[in-house]
Amino acid sequence: MIKKALVTTKPGFESELKKELEECNLKVKYTPFRGLLYIEGNIDNIKSKYICRLIPVEIICKLEDMEENIIKLINNKKVNGKFVVRCWRRGNHNFTSEDIEKKIGKLIVEKYNFKVDLKNYDFRVNIEILQDIAYISIFTKDFNEIKFIDNIKALNDLKKYSIRPLNRAERKIIELIEKYPYIFNNLETVLDIGSAPGGWIKHLSRLAKKVYAIDKGELKISSENIIHIKDRAENVNIDDKLDLITNDTNLYPEESILLTLKFFDNLKDGKYIIHTLKARSQKTKKEDLNKVINIIKDKNIKILDIVKLPANTKNELTIILKKD
């Protein structure tokens, strides 16, 4: 019987999925990451039109306790034979998913002398990392994740959020340049997270010598000084020192600020971050702001201003930060 699980949906449909699952008498919690919820209860034979994947969870622990708990789980389930380790990360880390897979794989080989087989394995150690917490399971042919193929196809045809018009993004950055001109003086290198379709970098590229634009989507703006990195920000690393980091991504507040902080070490001392807080709703705006403030409190960051720009939506606030 499955009692705990992570479930995925198309980003933007989290509230619909939560409501649907609660009607099935399940305990449902949002995670800080888009398209991902945590559930508890009698999960077998679950029915839903919004769920894409159901990932059973057997152990939840801190990252530092992961190896110990995986060994306990292998012993308790008495699995053996060929195996594979699969890890998926969400959040900001100084290691990769492949690093975890190799580390845990080596541990199992050394302790049990099991052989690794990436395709024809007898069991799979599944690790889902959400920032500093690991959700662990051992999957076999009788106990595995469930993919809701029909739901995935149906949700792919729906569009919860349309792409924001270029002029809305332009209005925000124009207002920021007018309100905080000192931030944009003598810019060498800028990094913009979630750049598509290009409203922010259109103006940043006119003020800086180099602009890193991170977004998997296509840009409607091109310039010789724009370096478009077509990847998710969590997968990107750069060596350059930065004069400014901007983030106007449409992500949950905690997930978004963690992406911004991923590049904090690249930011020069005394330089700035412009971060758009996109609250889950008007009612949660204060709560979401406090969560963001709590995440950055241990960093060497000063909050210069928290402002609602005329171009911000009703759920948005713009946070101006300075690295001390």
Side-chain angles (χ1 to χ4, degrees), residues 8 30 33 71 77 107 135 151 175 192 227 242 293 296 311:
T8 71
Y30 289 113
F33 303 97
I71 294 301
K77 298 192 73 169
L107 173 71
Y135 296 74
N151 289 357
E175 289 168 9
D192 181 55
I227 301 172
L242 304 171
I293 292 173
I296 67 175

Side-chain angles (χ1 to χ4, degrees), residues 152-262:
I152 293 171
K153 291 179 179 177
L155 288 170
N156 281 339
D157 294 332
L158 297 175
K159 198 169 186 181
K160 180 71 174 181
Y161 299 121
S162 59
I163 296 175
R164 193 165 46 243
L166 192 60
N167 62 356
R168 171 176 282 280
E170 285 185 8
R171 280 168 46 210
K172 275 190 274 188
I173 190 63
I174 289 170
E175 289 168 9
L176 286 163
I177 293 168
E178 292 176 350
K179 189 173 179 66
Y180 307 98
Y182 58 90
I183 292 177
F184 302 91
N185 288 336
N186 302 315
L187 293 177
E188 292 284 336
T189 306
V190 174
L191 182 141
D192 181 55
I193 302 170
S195 301
W200 285 55
I201 61 167
K202 175 180 178 180
H203 295 269
L204 291 172
S205 63
R206 296 171 180 171
L207 299 169
K209 294 182 179 180
K210 182 192 296 184
V211 177
Y212 285 102
I214 303 176
D215 202 305
K216 292 186 74 173
E218 296 295 332
L219 301 178
K220 295 182 180 180
I221 302 298
S222 62
S223 176
E224 290 183 356
N225 65 332
I226 295 174
I227 301 172
H228 184 195
I229 303 175
K230 296 186 69 173
D231 202 346
R232 296 167 62 93
E234 53 262 47
N235 298 329
V236 174
N237 292 291
I238 64 169
D239 296 324
D240 288 18
K241 288 296 182 179
L242 304 171
D243 298 287
L244 176 65
I245 299 171
T246 59
N247 183 342
D248 189 46
T249 52
N250 190 23
L251 298 173
Y252 281 161
E254 291 163 287
E255 184 180 5
S256 183
I257 191 63
L258 288 170
L259 287 183
T260 296
L261 294 179
K262 181 181 191 298

Side-chain angles (χ1 to χ4, degrees), residues 53-296:
R53 291 172 61 223
L54 187 147
I55 307 159
V57 173
E58 295 179 287
I59 290 177
I60 303 172
C61 66
K62 294 181 179 179
L63 294 186
E64 56 264 33
D65 300 324
M66 185 167 54
E67 295 181 28
E68 176 186 349
N69 279 285
I70 288 172
I71 294 301
K72 286 181 180 178
L73 190 57
I74 290 174
N75 292 338
N76 290 340
K77 298 192 73 169
K78 296 182 172 59
V79 292
N80 57 62
K82 295 177 289 185
F83 76 99
V84 68
V85 180
R86 289 287 181 254
C87 176
W88 285 265
R89 294 181 306 111
R90 297 170 178 86
N92 185 17
H93 306 101
N94 59 2
F95 55 83
T96 67
S97 296
E98 187 178 357
D99 290 337
I100 296 296
E101 291 170 354
K102 289 180 178 179
K103 183 177 182 180
I104 299 301
K106 182 180 179 182
L107 173 71
I108 295 171
V109 169
E110 291 177 349
K111 186 168 183 64
Y112 299 100
N113 201 30
F114 295 159
K115 292 184 178 180
V116 175
D117 193 316
L118 301 182
K119 293 183 178 180
N120 301 310
Y121 50 84
D122 298 298
F123 69 93
R124 180 178 109 197
V125 179
N126 194 76
I127 306 167
E128 306 278 339
I129 295 177
L130 276 58
Q131 195 49 36
D132 57 352
I133 301 296
Y135 296 74
I136 303 167
S137 295
I138 292 180
F139 292 153
T140 63
K141 64 179 182 180
D142 299 318
F143 181 79
N144 212 330
E145 67 176 298
I146 302 169
K147 292 184 179 181
F148 294 75
I149 303 300
D150 290 341
N151 289 357
I152 293 171
K153 291 179 179 177
L155 288 170
N156 281 339
D157 294 332
L158 297 175
K159 198 169 186 181
K160 180 71 174 181
Y161 299 121
S162 59
I163 296 175
R164 193 165 46 243
L166 192 60
N167 62 356
R168 171 176 282 280
E170 285 185 8
R171 280 168 46 210
K172 275 190 274 188
I173 190 63
I174 289 170
E175 289 168 9
L176 286 163
I177 293 168
E178 292 176 350
K179 189 173 179 66
Y180 307 98
Y182 58 90
I183 292 177
F184 302 91
N185 288 336
N186 302 315
L187 293 177
E188 292 284 336
T189 306
V190 174
L191 182 141
D192 181 55
I193 302 170
S195 301
W200 285 55
I201 61 167
K202 175 180 178 180
H203 295 269
L204 291 172
S205 63
R206 296 171 180 171
L207 299 169
K209 294 182 179 180
K210 182 192 296 184
V211 177
Y212 285 102
I214 303 176
D215 202 305
K216 292 186 74 173
E218 296 295 332
L219 301 178
K220 295 182 180 180
I221 302 298
S222 62
S223 176
E224 290 183 356
N225 65 332
I226 295 174
I227 301 172
H228 184 195
I229 303 175
K230 296 186 69 173
D231 202 346
R232 296 167 62 93
E234 53 262 47
N235 298 329
V236 174
N237 292 291
I238 64 169
D239 296 324
D240 288 18
K241 288 296 182 179
L242 304 171
D243 298 287
L244 176 65
I245 299 171
T246 59
N247 183 342
D248 189 46
T249 52
N250 190 23
L251 298 173
Y252 281 161
E254 291 163 287
E255 184 180 5
S256 183
I257 191 63
L258 288 170
L259 287 183
T260 296
L261 294 179
K262 181 181 191 298
F263 302 97
F264 181 75
D265 290 340
N266 295 93
L267 189 64
K268 299 174 184 175
D269 293 340
K271 295 302 182 179
Y272 303 92
I273 295 171
I274 299 175
H275 183 90
T276 305
L277 169 75
K278 302 199 176 186
R280 292 165 292 162
S281 68
Q282 283 185 286
K283 291 182 179 179
T284 65
K285 190 185 294 184
K286 184 176 180 180
E287 176 187 350
D288 291 336
L289 177 60
N290 288 334
K291 286 180 179 179
V292 169
I293 292 173
N294 189 57
I295 288 172
I296 67 175

